[in-house]
Amino acid sequence: MLNDDYTPMEFVVVVLQEFFNKDRETATQIMLKIHLDGRGVCGVYPRDVAATKVNQVMEAAVQAGHPLQCVSEPVE
C-alpha cells in the first residue's frame, strides 16, 4: 500500500484486517510503516491472489471515498 495525505489511518487498519487477515496490532504496525515510509508490504501472495487483493482494496477505497492506492510487485 502507498501512503497518501487523505485516507484515514483507521481505514487502512481496517483494510489490513479485512483483506489481509492481520490482527489489530500487526495492522497498526503496517499502517504506521506505510505512513512513515510512504509504502508498506501487506503480504506476499501468488500473483493471482495478489491481484485479487489489490482489486478488493481499491474497490473498498473507492466505495469509502478514499484515494488509497494498493499495488502488487514481484518479489525479487
Side-chain angles (χ1 to χ4, degrees):
M1 268 189 229
L2 307 178
N3 187 51
D4 64 69
D5 293 331
Y6 304 102
T7 303
M9 292 178 179
E10 181 60 28
F11 180 78
V12 175
V13 171
V14 169
V15 164
L16 289 164
Q17 289 177 291
E18 184 174 338
F19 299 113
F20 297 96
N21 300 315
K22 304 298 183 190
D23 60 52
R24 182 143 186 95
E25 182 177 338
T26 303
T28 301
Q29 290 172 352
I30 295 170
M31 176 275 296
L32 288 172
K33 179 162 180 43
I34 294 165
H35 179 69
L36 295 172
D37 296 347
R39 63 191 308 137
V41 176
C42 303
V44 178
Y45 303 95
R47 185 173 306 192
D48 59 334
V49 174
T52 298
K53 289 187 179 293
V54 166
N55 290 337
Q56 290 173 324
V57 169
M58 297 298 290
E59 180 62 29
V62 167
Q63 286 183 355
H66 300 306
L68 180 66
Q69 294 295 302
C70 185
V71 297
S72 65
E73 299 174 343
V75 175
E76 296 179 8

